[in-house]
Amino acid sequence: MAKIENNLEVIQHHIEQAKQRANTQQQVNIIAVTKQVDVARTEEAIAAGILHLGENRPEGLENKLQAIDSKVSWHYIGSLQTRKVKQVIDRIDYLHSLDRLSLAQEIEKRATKTVKCFVQVNVSGEDSKHGLTNEQAVEFIKQLEQFSKIEVVGLMTMAPFTEDDTVIRNVFKQLKQLQQQVTELSIPNVPCTELSMGMSNDYEIAVEEGATFVRIGTALVG
Ligand SMILES: *Cc1c(COP(=O)(O)O)cnc(C)c1O
Protein backbone atom coordinates (compact mmCIF):
# COMPACT_ATOMS: atom_id res chain seq x y z
CA MET A 1 0.00 0.00 0.00
CA ALA A 2 1.29 3.45 -0.90
CA LYS A 3 1.95 5.94 1.87
CA ILE A 4 -0.95 8.31 2.33
CA GLU A 5 1.48 11.19 2.63
CA ASN A 6 2.69 10.51 -0.91
CA ASN A 7 -0.81 10.02 -2.29
CA LEU A 8 -1.90 13.29 -0.72
CA GLU A 9 1.03 15.14 -2.22
CA VAL A 10 0.13 13.87 -5.70
CA ILE A 11 -3.56 14.76 -5.26
CA GLN A 12 -2.76 18.25 -3.94
CA HIS A 13 -0.48 18.81 -6.91
CA HIS A 14 -3.21 17.71 -9.33
CA ILE A 15 -5.69 20.01 -7.61
CA GLU A 16 -3.31 22.97 -7.91
CA GLN A 17 -2.83 22.26 -11.61
CA ALA A 18 -6.58 21.98 -12.15
CA LYS A 19 -7.08 25.33 -10.39
CA GLN A 20 -4.47 26.91 -12.64
CA ARG A 21 -6.10 25.51 -15.77
CA ALA A 22 -9.43 26.91 -14.65
CA ASN A 23 -7.81 30.14 -13.49
CA THR A 24 -9.50 29.98 -10.10
CA GLN A 25 -8.34 30.54 -6.54
CA GLN A 26 -11.20 28.78 -4.77
CA GLN A 27 -10.31 26.78 -1.68
CA VAL A 28 -10.65 23.07 -2.31
CA ASN A 29 -11.13 20.91 0.79
CA ILE A 30 -10.15 17.26 0.56
CA ILE A 31 -12.42 14.83 2.37
CA ALA A 32 -10.65 11.51 2.96
CA VAL A 33 -13.33 8.87 2.45
CA THR A 34 -12.34 6.22 4.97
CA LYS A 35 -15.37 3.91 4.65
CA GLN A 36 -13.22 1.06 3.38
CA VAL A 37 -10.22 1.40 5.67
CA ASP A 38 -9.50 0.82 9.36
CA VAL A 39 -8.73 3.22 12.18
CA ALA A 40 -4.94 2.92 11.75
CA ARG A 41 -5.13 3.94 8.09
CA THR A 42 -7.48 6.79 9.04
CA GLU A 43 -4.98 7.98 11.68
CA GLU A 44 -2.31 7.90 8.98
CA ALA A 45 -4.43 10.21 6.85
CA ILE A 46 -4.81 12.64 9.75
CA ALA A 47 -1.06 12.53 10.40
CA ALA A 48 -0.52 13.43 6.73
CA GLY A 49 -2.60 16.57 7.24
CA ILE A 50 -6.16 15.54 6.40
CA LEU A 51 -8.77 17.68 8.22
CA HIS A 52 -11.98 16.16 6.82
CA LEU A 53 -13.13 12.54 7.07
CA GLY A 54 -16.04 10.95 5.20
CA GLU A 55 -18.04 7.86 6.21
CA ASN A 56 -21.20 6.38 4.69
CA ARG A 57 -22.53 4.02 7.38
CA PRO A 58 -23.58 4.79 10.97
CA GLU A 59 -21.46 1.88 12.27
CA GLY A 60 -18.32 2.97 10.40
CA LEU A 61 -18.78 6.51 11.63
CA GLU A 62 -19.23 5.46 15.24
CA ASN A 63 -16.25 3.12 15.10
CA LYS A 64 -13.94 5.92 13.87
CA LEU A 65 -15.41 8.53 16.23
CA GLN A 66 -14.78 6.35 19.26
CA ALA A 67 -11.18 5.68 18.31
CA ILE A 68 -10.08 9.10 17.05
CA ASP A 69 -9.75 12.23 19.24
CA SER A 70 -8.10 14.48 16.68
CA LYS A 71 -9.88 17.70 15.78
CA VAL A 72 -11.24 16.80 12.37
CA SER A 73 -14.55 17.49 10.63
CA TRP A 74 -16.84 14.51 10.14
CA HIS A 75 -18.78 14.20 6.90
CA TYR A 76 -21.64 11.76 6.37
CA ILE A 77 -21.63 11.02 2.64
CA GLY A 78 -24.02 8.07 2.31
CA SER A 79 -27.75 7.99 2.01
CA LEU A 80 -29.17 8.32 5.52
CA GLN A 81 -32.19 6.31 6.61
CA THR A 82 -34.67 8.36 8.60
CA ARG A 83 -34.53 5.93 11.50
CA LYS A 84 -30.75 6.37 11.76
CA VAL A 85 -30.88 10.16 12.07
CA LYS A 86 -31.05 10.16 15.86
CA GLN A 87 -27.89 8.08 16.11
CA VAL A 88 -25.88 10.09 13.58
CA ILE A 89 -26.98 13.68 13.40
CA ASP A 90 -25.29 15.22 16.45
CA ARG A 91 -22.07 13.32 15.73
CA ILE A 92 -21.34 14.90 12.36
CA ASP A 93 -20.32 18.31 11.04
CA TYR A 94 -21.67 17.92 7.50
CA LEU A 95 -24.38 15.83 5.85
CA HIS A 96 -23.89 15.37 2.09
CA SER A 97 -27.09 13.49 1.34
CA LEU A 98 -30.12 15.63 2.18
CA ASP A 99 -32.64 14.54 -0.45
CA ARG A 100 -36.16 14.45 1.02
CA LEU A 101 -38.56 16.29 3.25
CA SER A 102 -39.03 13.38 5.67
CA LEU A 103 -35.28 13.45 6.33
CA ALA A 104 -35.35 17.22 6.91
CA GLN A 105 -38.26 16.80 9.34
CA GLU A 106 -36.43 14.12 11.30
CA ILE A 107 -33.27 16.25 11.46
CA GLU A 108 -35.34 19.18 12.75
CA LYS A 109 -36.75 16.93 15.45
CA ARG A 110 -33.51 15.24 16.53
CA ALA A 111 -30.62 17.67 16.08
CA THR A 112 -29.61 19.82 19.03
CA LYS A 113 -27.64 22.24 16.84
CA THR A 114 -27.67 23.48 13.26
CA VAL A 115 -26.50 20.87 10.76
CA LYS A 116 -24.54 21.90 7.70
CA CYS A 117 -26.18 20.07 4.81
CA PHE A 118 -25.56 19.50 1.14
CA VAL A 119 -28.62 18.77 -0.95
CA GLN A 120 -27.87 15.73 -3.09
CA VAL A 121 -28.71 16.13 -6.75
CA ASN A 122 -28.86 13.33 -9.31
CA VAL A 123 -27.79 15.55 -12.20
CA SER A 124 -27.14 12.66 -14.56
CA GLY A 125 -30.58 11.14 -13.90
CA GLU A 126 -29.19 7.62 -13.54
CA ASP A 127 -31.66 5.29 -11.84
CA SER A 128 -28.98 3.81 -9.62
CA LYS A 129 -28.18 7.13 -7.98
CA HIS A 130 -29.84 8.84 -5.05
CA GLY A 131 -30.77 12.47 -5.16
CA LEU A 132 -33.23 14.88 -6.68
CA THR A 133 -33.51 16.04 -10.26
CA ASN A 134 -32.38 19.62 -10.87
CA GLU A 135 -35.98 20.88 -10.89
CA GLN A 136 -36.94 18.93 -7.77
CA ALA A 137 -33.86 20.23 -5.97
CA VAL A 138 -34.93 23.86 -6.40
CA GLU A 139 -38.47 23.17 -5.16
CA PHE A 140 -37.11 21.12 -2.26
CA ILE A 141 -34.68 23.84 -1.20
CA LYS A 142 -37.47 26.43 -1.14
CA GLN A 143 -39.27 24.21 1.36
CA LEU A 144 -36.23 24.03 3.62
CA GLU A 145 -36.59 27.65 4.72
CA GLN A 146 -38.93 26.50 7.50
CA PHE A 147 -36.29 24.31 9.19
CA SER A 148 -34.25 26.08 11.88
CA LYS A 149 -31.74 23.22 12.32
CA ILE A 150 -30.82 22.98 8.65
CA GLU A 151 -28.29 25.14 6.87
CA VAL A 152 -27.90 24.34 3.19
CA VAL A 153 -24.19 25.01 2.71
CA GLY A 154 -24.14 23.59 -0.79
CA LEU A 155 -25.02 20.97 -3.38
CA MET A 156 -23.58 17.49 -3.82
CA THR A 157 -23.53 15.16 -6.79
CA MET A 158 -21.92 11.99 -8.06
CA ALA A 159 -20.91 11.82 -11.71
CA PRO A 160 -21.94 8.78 -13.73
CA PHE A 161 -19.55 5.88 -14.05
CA THR A 162 -18.08 6.48 -17.50
CA GLU A 163 -14.79 6.99 -19.28
CA ASP A 164 -16.27 9.93 -21.16
CA ASP A 165 -14.87 13.09 -19.56
CA THR A 166 -17.30 15.27 -21.50
CA VAL A 167 -20.26 13.59 -19.85
CA ILE A 168 -18.69 13.95 -16.40
CA ARG A 169 -17.77 17.60 -16.98
CA ASN A 170 -21.28 18.37 -18.13
CA VAL A 171 -22.71 16.97 -14.88
CA PHE A 172 -20.40 19.16 -12.78
CA LYS A 173 -21.18 22.22 -14.92
CA GLN A 174 -24.89 21.65 -14.36
CA LEU A 175 -24.42 21.44 -10.58
CA LYS A 176 -22.57 24.77 -10.67
CA GLN A 177 -25.41 26.34 -12.69
CA LEU A 178 -27.95 24.97 -10.26
CA GLN A 179 -25.98 26.50 -7.40
CA GLN A 180 -26.20 29.90 -9.06
CA GLN A 181 -29.93 29.46 -9.50
CA VAL A 182 -30.29 28.56 -5.80
CA THR A 183 -28.19 31.43 -4.46
CA GLU A 184 -30.31 33.87 -6.47
CA LEU A 185 -33.27 32.83 -4.31
CA SER A 186 -31.51 34.45 -1.31
CA ILE A 187 -33.04 32.12 1.26
CA PRO A 188 -31.62 32.94 4.72
CA ASN A 189 -30.57 29.43 5.75
CA VAL A 190 -29.40 28.55 2.24
CA PRO A 191 -26.03 30.22 1.63
CA CYS A 192 -25.23 27.38 -0.81
CA THR A 193 -21.66 28.52 -1.35
CA GLU A 194 -20.14 25.02 -1.55
CA LEU A 195 -20.03 22.29 -4.19
CA SER A 196 -19.28 18.72 -3.09
CA MET A 197 -18.25 16.94 -6.28
CA GLY A 198 -15.36 14.82 -7.51
CA MET A 199 -14.04 11.44 -6.40
CA SER A 200 -10.82 9.51 -7.10
CA ASN A 201 -11.47 9.22 -10.82
CA ASP A 202 -12.87 12.64 -11.59
CA TYR A 203 -11.75 15.15 -8.94
CA GLU A 204 -9.57 17.13 -11.36
CA ILE A 205 -12.54 17.78 -13.66
CA ALA A 206 -14.64 18.66 -10.60
CA VAL A 207 -12.08 21.23 -9.42
CA GLU A 208 -11.94 22.79 -12.88
CA GLU A 209 -15.73 23.13 -12.72
CA GLY A 210 -15.82 24.71 -9.26
CA ALA A 211 -15.72 21.99 -6.58
CA THR A 212 -14.96 23.25 -3.07
CA PHE A 213 -15.12 19.78 -1.46
CA VAL A 214 -13.76 16.67 -3.17
CA ARG A 215 -14.50 13.25 -1.66
CA ILE A 216 -11.53 10.96 -2.22
CA GLY A 217 -11.26 7.35 -1.10
CA THR A 218 -9.31 4.93 -3.26
CA ALA A 219 -6.68 7.33 -4.63
CA LEU A 220 -5.84 8.60 -1.14
CA VAL A 221 -6.28 5.85 1.43
CA GLY A 222 -7.02 2.77 -0.74
C1 LIG B 1 -17.09 5.94 -1.67
C2 LIG B 1 -17.51 7.30 -2.00
C3 LIG B 1 -16.58 8.27 -2.43
C4 LIG B 1 -15.11 7.96 -2.67
O1 LIG B 1 -14.96 7.15 -3.81
P1 LIG B 1 -13.52 6.83 -4.45
O2 LIG B 1 -13.82 6.49 -5.85
O3 LIG B 1 -12.96 5.69 -3.66
O4 LIG B 1 -12.69 8.05 -4.32
C5 LIG B 1 -17.05 9.56 -2.65
N1 LIG B 1 -18.33 9.89 -2.48
C6 LIG B 1 -19.26 8.99 -2.08
C7 LIG B 1 -20.66 9.42 -1.91
C8 LIG B 1 -18.88 7.67 -1.84
O5 LIG B 1 -19.81 6.78 -1.45
Side-chain angles (χ1 to χ4, degrees):
M1 247 189 316
K3 276 193 153 167
I4 291 178
E5 211 185 328
N6 298 342
N7 293 344
L8 183 57
E9 209 175 301
V10 170
I11 291 166
Q12 281 169 332
H13 182 62
H14 287 160
I15 288 175
E16 281 315 311
Q17 288 179 318
K19 283 166 67 171
Q20 278 176 21
R21 284 194 296 274
N23 196 15
T24 166
Q25 323 238 324
Q26 89 238 20
Q27 191 186 327
V28 179
N29 302 287
I30 300 173
I31 302 170
V33 176
T34 51
K35 66 190 184 197
Q36 283 174 334
V37 300
D38 61 12
V39 167
R41 194 77 173 148
T42 305
E43 298 270 22
E44 192 189 331
I46 296 167
I50 283 294
L51 299 170
H52 299 272
L53 297 178
E55 286 284 333
N56 71 341
R57 297 263 182 277
E59 301 71 30
L61 173 74
E62 200 52 41
N63 172 32
K64 302 285 185 347
L65 273 164
Q66 304 240 346
I68 293 166
D69 333 298
S70 309
K71 273 254 163 263
V72 289
S73 293
W74 296 90
H75 296 252
Y76 196 87
I77 61 168
S79 67
L80 181 58
Q81 289 176 284
T82 309
R83 63 188 175 85
K84 301 280 180 156
V85 167
K86 189 177 181 214
Q87 182 185 344
V88 162
I89 206 69
D90 271 345
R91 308 286 273 156
I92 59 175
D93 299 290
Y94 294 86
L95 175 68
H96 288 245
S97 52
L98 182 56
D99 63 355
R100 59 194 190 277
L101 219 46
S102 58
L103 182 57
Q105 284 160 344
E106 186 68 10
I107 292 170
E108 187 74 7
K109 190 163 141 195
R110 301 293 184 186
T112 63
K113 56 181 168 59
T114 308
V115 186
K116 295 188 178 79
C117 298
F118 289 86
V119 168
Q120 186 167 352
V121 187
N122 183 2
V123 175
S124 63
E126 280 182 296
D127 286 347
S128 60
K129 294 214 162 32
H130 289 272
L132 302 159
T133 66
N134 301 11
E135 294 74 27
Q136 287 170 339
V138 173
E139 290 314 306
F140 176 61
I141 286 168
K142 287 178 184 165
Q143 292 180 298
L144 293 175
E145 187 167 7
Q146 59 182 304
F147 297 103
S148 64
K149 304 276 180 50
I150 291 176
E151 181 184 10
V152 179
V153 296
L155 304 178
M156 178 275 210
T157 200
M158 288 172 81
F161 205 68
T162 169
E163 300 275 289
D164 188 344
D165 284 1
T166 316
V167 172
I168 295 172
R169 188 179 298 281
N170 189 39
V171 164
F172 295 151
K173 271 189 201 299
Q174 282 191 56
L175 197 71
K176 175 83 191 178
Q177 282 168 5
L178 192 61
Q179 178 196 33
Q180 277 155 359
Q181 207 180 321
V182 169
T183 52
E184 279 165 18
L185 300 172
S186 301
I187 302 171
N189 63 336
V190 185
C192 206
T193 50
E194 311 300 324
L195 287 176
S196 169
M197 57 190 197
M199 314 188 351
S200 292
N201 291 322
D202 55 22
Y203 70 89
E204 290 160 89
I205 304 172
V207 169
E208 287 175 16
E209 298 304 331
T212 62
F213 285 89
V214 291
R215 311 176 308 269
I216 305 185
T218 323
L220 181 60
V221 297

